[in-house]
Amino acid sequence: MDGAIHPTLLESISAWVLIVSFTLSLLYELWRATARAGVSRHDSMRAFVREVWLYVVAAIVIVLLLAGVPFAAWIGLAFSALVILVSIFYYNPRMMIERRPGLFDWFEDLVYTGLAFVVAALLTLEVSGLELS
């Protein structure tokens, strides 16, 4: 053992799922801010910049998971659970409806929220001490 901290397999997979999820979300929100600007109050560069903090937090969680920091799995689990709750109770019933969504909007929303559920499931296994085999 070299004394370094290493992430578990589930933490690494969770980090990569978050990378995919938040890259998709960032590109989607940038598309809404440019190609769909003005459709709703959420579709502007100003609104996009106001929400950048979420991607910064996601990046921090990803780095913690990839670095294998103690309690990173708990932090990632709490973060993914919060993302799920916000998606279900705020984004879908309020923001999404205001945006007059099309097929692409619903696809992005379902994939983003689904990937948050995947991360929550993987990190629940991690914090409970269970392993995939």
Side-chain angles (χ1 to χ4, degrees):
M1 192 58 63
D2 60 8
I5 299 172
H6 299 287
T8 67
L9 178 61
L10 293 175
E11 287 173 331
S12 294
I13 293 170
S14 296
W16 282 104
V17 171
L18 285 173
I19 289 169
V20 169
S21 176
F22 278 89
T23 299
L24 172 66
S25 175
L26 183 66
L27 293 173
Y28 169 76
E29 291 298 337
L30 185 59
W31 173 73
R32 289 293 309 200
T34 55
R36 304 280 293 165
V39 171
S40 78
R41 65 187 170 98
H42 308 288
D43 301 320
S44 68
M45 284 309 289
R46 176 176 286 210
F48 176 77
V49 170
R50 253 194 328 258
E51 300 300 322
V52 166
W53 67 269
L54 176 61
Y55 301 97
V56 172
V57 173
I60 291 167
V61 171
I62 290 165
V63 167
L64 293 174
L65 287 167
L66 288 174
V69 173
F71 298 105
W74 282 104
I75 293 166
L77 178 57
F79 178 71
S80 61
L82 187 59
V83 164
I84 291 166
L85 291 172
V86 168
S87 181
I88 291 171
F89 294 108
Y90 174 71
Y91 184 79
N92 282 324
R94 294 209 172 97
M95 280 182 71
M96 189 66 128
I97 300 308
E98 290 178 20
R99 286 182 153 176
R100 297 191 310 247
L103 184 60
F104 181 69
D105 300 282
W106 288 113
F107 173 79
E108 185 277 339
D109 178 54
L110 290 172
V111 171
Y112 174 79
T113 305
L115 290 175
F117 272 102
V118 169
V119 171
L122 291 172
L123 293 177
T124 297
L125 289 172
E126 175 66 25
V127 300
S128 67
L130 300 173
E131 295 180 8
L132 296 176
S133 59

